[in-house]
Amino acid sequence: MDLSEGVCCAPLVRQPLGEAEAAELARVLKALADPVRLRLISLIGARGAEETCVCDLTGGFDLSAPTISHHLKVLREAGLISSQRRGTWVYYRLVPGALERLAVLFTPQTAAGVASAPA
């Protein structure tokens, strides 16, 4: 399930996952299952399509720069963010549609084929 290529698993609530799909989805969910990484995704996503410099991300945490870089690497390897180095700095952005593709996995579908609204 490389989210950067738009390939995703079958929705969990519509059909069972195969072994390979489940393993790949677990890898992506593990990347998100850390408070620091969730905050990083939130900070990067809050900028919309605009890139976020790593220099703007490190100040909000009581962690070393190498630790922040490790967390960003995990998110990048999971296909949730992309990066581009420019000189000394690295700039991050969400992979377009990555979080939406994950959301679809957990969205039930009504009989008419339209996702139901949360209660």
Side-chain angles (χ1 to χ4, degrees):
M1 180 175 94
D2 185 351
L3 295 176
S4 64
E5 294 179 13
V7 178
C8 196
C9 303
L12 294 176
V13 295
R14 295 183 209 146
Q15 69 186 61
L17 292 175
E19 188 175 332
E21 288 177 314
E24 186 59 28
L25 179 57
R27 185 180 69 83
V28 174
L29 292 174
K30 282 180 186 179
L32 289 172
D34 179 278
V36 171
R37 292 193 285 268
L38 281 174
R39 286 184 60 209
L40 286 167
I41 282 283
S42 175
L43 289 167
I44 295 167
R47 304 284 300 254
E50 192 176 325
E51 295 174 317
T52 304
C53 179
V54 69
C55 61
D56 295 327
L57 297 171
T58 55
F61 296 90
D62 190 23
L63 299 169
S64 68
T67 300
I68 295 294
S69 292
H70 166 74
H71 285 295
L72 290 165
K73 177 183 174 187
V74 171
L75 293 170
R76 193 177 62 251
E77 288 176 347
L80 296 166
I81 62 173
S82 62
S83 64
Q84 182 179 40
R85 178 172 291 280
R86 290 189 214 128
T88 305
W89 301 111
V90 179
Y91 293 82
Y92 294 91
R93 71 175 61 196
L94 288 179
V95 169
L99 296 178
E100 290 83 0
R101 286 187 286 277
L102 279 176
V104 167
L105 288 170
F106 302 102
T107 305
Q109 192 172 26
T110 65
V114 178
S116 60

